[in-house]
Amino acid sequence: MQLTAGDHSVRHIRRIVRSLLHEWQLPALAFAVELGVSELVTNVVRHVPDRRCTLVVTRQTAGVRAEVSDGHAPLPRLETEVDQDSERGRGLALLDAVVDKWGVSPGPGGGKTVWFECGTG
């Protein structure tokens, strides 16, 4: 799915992801995958100037892989210390807590792809 992410995009994308997981009979992964995709798309809204991105969610043998690619070169950082009152800086820590693995790969045109995988086993 190619989109220009806006303030209300996350809610709609969560609904699409939930529908995919239901269709694939993987409801046990709904919380982690929805949260992961939400965090990655929110990062696009907050940090990518043109807010354009591509979201790919694929079923794997033992789970799901999701990728969000954009054309903005700066890589996301896992914040190790976040002010307790801050409303930002926890997204990748949340992602790290709920998925099996995640990472960042160079993307086409100088951008990046942030991906994660959740398994059923």
Side-chain angles (χ1 to χ4, degrees):
M1 168 188 313
Q2 293 183 344
L3 63 132
T4 300
D7 295 333
H8 301 289
S9 299
V10 172
R11 179 181 53 208
H12 300 297
I13 291 168
R14 287 178 71 100
R15 194 174 309 139
I16 291 166
V17 168
R18 189 177 312 123
S19 177
L20 275 175
L21 295 171
H22 177 76
E23 182 180 320
W24 294 339
Q25 299 179 354
L26 296 172
L29 298 180
F31 176 78
V33 176
E34 286 181 46
L35 178 65
V37 168
S38 296
E39 291 302 328
L40 298 184
V41 173
T42 297
N43 282 347
V44 170
V45 172
R46 289 185 175 165
H47 302 292
V48 176
D50 66 7
R51 294 185 171 188
R52 289 186 298 166
C53 66
T54 300
L55 168 65
V56 177
V57 180
T58 55
R59 184 174 184 176
Q60 297 183 311
T61 303
V64 172
R65 178 179 174 99
E67 303 175 354
V68 175
S69 302
D70 63 63
H72 195 52
L75 301 178
R77 291 188 337 257
L78 178 61
E79 297 290 339
T80 55
E81 294 184 28
V82 178
D83 184 301
Q84 191 171 356
D85 297 327
S86 178
E87 293 182 16
R88 295 181 178 204
R90 293 182 180 83
L92 291 178
L94 283 170
L95 181 70
D96 190 57
V98 300
V99 303
D100 294 326
K101 59 184 175 178
W102 68 275
V104 182
S105 305
K112 65 188 168 297
T113 297
V114 184
W115 59 268
F116 67 85
E117 294 179 357
C118 293
T120 58

